[in-house]
Amino acid sequence: MMYKSLLTVCTATLLASCTTMEEVKDKAVGSSGDGSKIRNVIVMIGDGMGPQQVGLLDSYVRYASDPVLDSSAFDRMATEGVVGISRTESNKVLVVDSAASATQFASGKLAGSEMIGADYEGNRAVSMLEVAQAKGKAVGLVSDTRLTHATPAAYAAHQQHRSLENEIAAEMLDTGADVMLSGGIRHWLPQGVNEEGSAVRQELEALTGGTISMSSKRKDDRNLLAEASEAGYDLSFNRTDLAASTGDRVLGLYSSSGMLDGIAHTQAGNGAERVQPSLTEMTAKALSVLEDDEDGFFLMVEGGQIDWAAHNNDAGTMLHEMIKFSDAIDVVLDWMKDRDDTLLVVSADHETGGFGFAYSRNDLPEGQPLDGDVFHGEQYKPNWNFGNVETLDRLYEQKLSYDGIFSQFDSLDESQQTPENLRMIVNTNTEFPITLAQARRVLETELNVYYVPDHGTLSAERFPLMHERKAFYVYGSGIRKNILASVVAEQSNVVWASDNHSSTPVYLFAMGPDETTDAFKGILHTTDWANEIIAVLD
Ligand code: MG
Ligand code: ZN
């Protein structure tokens, strides 16, 4: 057992503590009286958030000249809760993808790569959300990606492959989580909306308020929004609607695909012109709806675009994603303050990109005399450039994500898609200016379709690193972003291993009553800590 009964605690401690425990029990409305004080479980997943990504935020908070956060939520978790380490690999492979990883930490079962809610033998893997639901608890899913994307999907669907997002949407509706807030409406709209001027398009445009692109990925005429409405969901499509929603079942879909990326989110600020709710607003709303259930609740919140920024090797956007996710954790920590009936677990599915700062032989430091009694005025001159902390300010100052930079570039008339214009867009929106030659290299490499063997035009001389390791850049035209990151590396000291995932173990933070969080210390596999949570819920 991971938790002691009230009786054990009382007999083992002073009377004063007993009183405290009784008070806690009184506060836990609807406590089952079976000894478990935990009514609510909240899991928060930073997708792609390895130790390096947490470290980036930590460095920013400590060393930026004017950080927007006083402290990171991870620091708060580590100080007030416990820290463990989580191994993430799936069945018989070294590297995990988000679907298999989420399946594992949602169900406690070992999964195969790219599966959603199935164990490695192909059996249905019941998730902790489904366990909580069976116990009468309210359940919710929040993500800033798409509701049908791998991480939320693994809690409420069982499919052979993560790409089956139309099927996942229908299944998630069947599972019927009480609160579902995210992006990705394109998998919930009937295919008929793709026809300009069709009645169904007009109807759904009116329903959604005209702020979301009406394009469907579905291959059928199912209108899952209408089905959700019939099932009793309060629908919302923008920030105002979500704030005004009073239902105890809420489905909110706020974008066609992913929601605002970290930089767009920062740039949008809190102004009325921001149509989408923020991750913190969705998290706060989910808590306020779910906390009304007398049996308690289960909630999963995902900061899902840390991974996307890292796939792009876009360190500035990744920093903004980390700030966004830290803010959402702070909302939960504030809500949990003075409660003793809630377990919060914060972790990641894997690290993305093999991110890190590295030292270089570029721009070597000048020697300087040191007065200390070891140096006595002799020159201090390290051999390498170990990276200036001022880089953290420059990363934060980025105004457009790499996705945004290339979509702006691609939206130019084809005759205007020149190295000069790429340089202009990059240099207007980032603090790491590129030369015309570098802009040319980014674009030339793109034209050369690097992954076609023997195409011949991507010479080892032009891009030796990518050439040797091109098999580890799997996302086609996304390579432009990786090469952009690579050409500014000498200025930023930021290096990346690939455009995909690494196998590094990730942090595992837990907060709640000590007797519950003790189980999260040590080196655990994703399935281990999932099973600890399932034991608490069950
Ligand atoms: Mg994810
Ligand atoms: Zn990923």
Side-chain angles (χ1 to χ4, degrees):
M1 288 296 280
M2 295 178 312
Y3 39 81
K4 299 165 189 159
S5 70
L6 269 177
L7 187 65
T8 314
V9 173
C10 284
T11 51
T13 55
L14 297 172
L15 192 59
S17 304
C18 278
T19 312
T20 312
M21 296 306 291
E22 288 302 334
E23 282 166 3
V24 167
K25 194 187 171 198
D26 286 347
K27 198 171 152 186
V29 186
S31 167
S32 58
D34 62 1
S36 169
K37 292 184 297 179
I38 301 297
R39 301 175 68 233
N40 315 311
V41 174
I42 303 166
V43 173
M44 301 185 78
I45 299 297
D47 197 313
M49 187 184 74
Q52 304 98 303
Q53 281 76 12
V54 176
L56 172 64
L57 182 65
D58 186 70
S59 299
Y60 170 77
V61 168
R62 285 173 203 280
Y63 302 119
S65 57
D66 188 19
V68 293
L69 298 179
D70 294 333
S71 66
S72 91
F74 305 98
D75 229 1
R76 223 172 138 187
M77 290 290 299
T79 307
E80 298 171 33
V82 309
V83 188
I85 289 171
S86 172
R87 291 165 33 231
T88 63
E89 72 278 6
S90 54
N91 188 49
K92 293 190 175 153
V93 294
L94 297 169
V95 187
V96 77
D97 77 292
S98 297
S101 195
T103 297
Q104 292 182 161
F105 57 68
S107 71
K109 301 282 192 328
L110 205 58
S113 302
E114 302 179 352
M115 293 176 178
I116 292 287
D119 70 19
Y120 69 94
E121 292 176 306
N123 302 302
R124 185 185 183 91
V126 175
S127 76
M128 56 182 65
L129 178 143
E130 293 164 320
V131 170
Q133 223 174 12
K135 292 283 167 189
K137 293 181 188 293
V139 297
L141 295 169
V142 170
S143 171
D144 58 3
T145 62
R146 297 189 291 276
L147 191 53
T148 51
H149 206 260
T151 313
Y155 284 87
H158 307 273
Q159 296 285 337
Q160 294 174 8
H161 197 267
R162 56 185 294 171
S163 61
L164 300 169
E165 292 188 58
N166 295 331
E167 290 76 6
I168 288 168
E171 199 183 347
M172 288 179 94
L173 189 54
D174 280 347
T175 302
D178 304 274
V179 176
M180 295 190 277
L181 309 176
S182 188
I185 202 171
R186 67 191 194 184
H187 300 285
W188 301 74
L189 299 168
Q191 61 178 355
V193 300
N194 295 334
E195 196 185 318
E196 199 88 40
S198 65
V200 69
R201 184 189 179 108
Q202 284 172 18
E203 179 203 325
L204 287 168
E205 215 152 36
L207 176 74
T208 56
T211 56
I212 308 172
S213 139
M214 281 295 105
S215 106
S216 171
K217 288 275 183 184
R218 294 199 69 80
K219 305 287 178 241
D220 58 28
D221 295 315
R222 280 186 74 174
N223 178 346
L224 297 186
L225 300 181
E227 291 182 31
S229 185
E230 278 160 33
Y233 280 97
D234 197 353
L235 303 181
S236 71
F237 304 102
N238 58 55
R239 183 188 183 191
T240 318
D241 282 356
L242 178 66
S245 169
T246 54
D248 55 3
R249 307 190 81 200
V250 190
L251 172 64
L253 295 164
Y254 306 106
S255 55
S256 179
S257 178
M259 296 181 68
L260 294 178
D261 70 43
I263 289 188
H265 171 266
T266 302
Q267 295 283 317
N270 241 334
E273 65 278 14
R274 172 161 62 78
V275 175
Q276 295 182 16
S278 65
L279 189 61
T280 57
E281 288 165 354
M282 294 192 293
T283 302
K285 184 67 177 192
L287 290 170
S288 77
V289 174
L290 297 172
E291 72 180 351
D292 289 342
D293 193 296
E294 59 180 20
D295 300 306
F297 66 83
F298 170 80
L299 170 65
M300 193 287 297
V301 176
E302 181 192 26
Q305 297 197 38
I306 301 161
D307 174 71
W308 294 5
H311 278 288
N312 291 339
N313 295 174
D314 181 353
T317 304
M318 195 170 76
L319 172 59
H320 285 259
E321 296 294 350
M322 287 300 301
I323 293 168
K324 191 209 283 184
F325 188 49
S326 178
D327 284 342
I329 299 171
D330 275 331
V331 166
V332 173
L333 291 176
D334 291 345
W335 179 87
M336 280 177 73
K337 215 190 252 164
D338 305 324
R339 297 190 76 105
D340 203 15
D341 63 352
T342 300
L343 169 64
L344 168 63
V345 176
V346 178
S347 193
D349 48 1
H350 51 75
E351 192 275 341
T352 301
F355 163 79
F357 292 108
Y359 59 82
S360 79
R361 57 186 158 79
N362 180 61
D363 205 5
L364 296 176
E366 302 281 317
Q368 52 178 2
L370 285 187
D371 294 335
D373 64 1
V374 171
F375 277 73
H376 299 295
E378 294 290 323
Q379 288 277 306
Y380 168 60
K381 188 178 184 310
N383 282 330
W384 314 116
N385 168 0
F386 285 85
N388 193 322
V389 294
E390 173 266 324
T391 294
L392 297 159
D393 290 322
R394 292 165 76 193
L395 287 173
Y396 182 82
E397 286 305 316
Q398 192 173 322
K399 296 289 184 289
L400 196 59
S401 66
Y402 282 13
D403 273 337
I405 284 171
F406 283 97
S407 74
Q408 190 170 320
F409 181 78
D410 290 342
S411 72
L412 295 172
D413 191 83
E414 209 163 322
S415 66
Q416 295 304 303
Q417 295 181 15
T418 59
E420 287 80 1
N421 279 331
L422 178 65
R423 182 182 62 168
M424 190 266 293
I425 297 169
V426 169
N427 294 0
T428 305
N429 291 293
T430 78
E431 296 297 312
F432 302 99
I434 60 172
T435 64
L436 199 54
Q438 287 172 327
R440 202 171 284 131
R441 186 159 72 178
V442 171
L443 295 174
E444 282 172 357
T445 307
E446 157 64 6
L447 289 174
N448 287 337
V449 195
Y450 70 98
Y451 50 84
V452 177
D454 303 318
H455 195 273
T457 39
L458 178 67
S459 72
E461 193 183 5
R462 179 153 11 97
F463 212 82
L465 182 69
M466 294 290 189
H467 185 65
E468 290 301 322
R469 299 175 50 244
K470 61 188 177 185
F472 297 94
Y473 292 82
V474 304
Y475 291 109
S477 66
I479 192 79
R480 294 181 295 178
K481 301 164 203 165
N482 306 119
I483 295 174
L484 174 57
S486 194
V487 301
V488 299
E490 287 190 1
Q491 298 178 66
S492 66
N493 287 73
V494 171
V495 296
W496 299 87
S498 78
D499 73 352
N500 61 79
H501 301 173
S502 79
S503 64
T504 187
V506 299
Y507 285 127
L508 172 64
F509 300 93
M511 193 134 104
D514 291 348
E515 61 272 27
T516 308
T517 56
D518 278 352
F520 296 84
K521 293 174 181 166
I523 302 178
L524 287 77
H525 186 257
T526 42
T527 52
D528 297 330
W529 61 260
N531 284 318
E532 296 294 346
I533 295 175
I534 289 168
V536 169
L537 287 167
D538 214 0

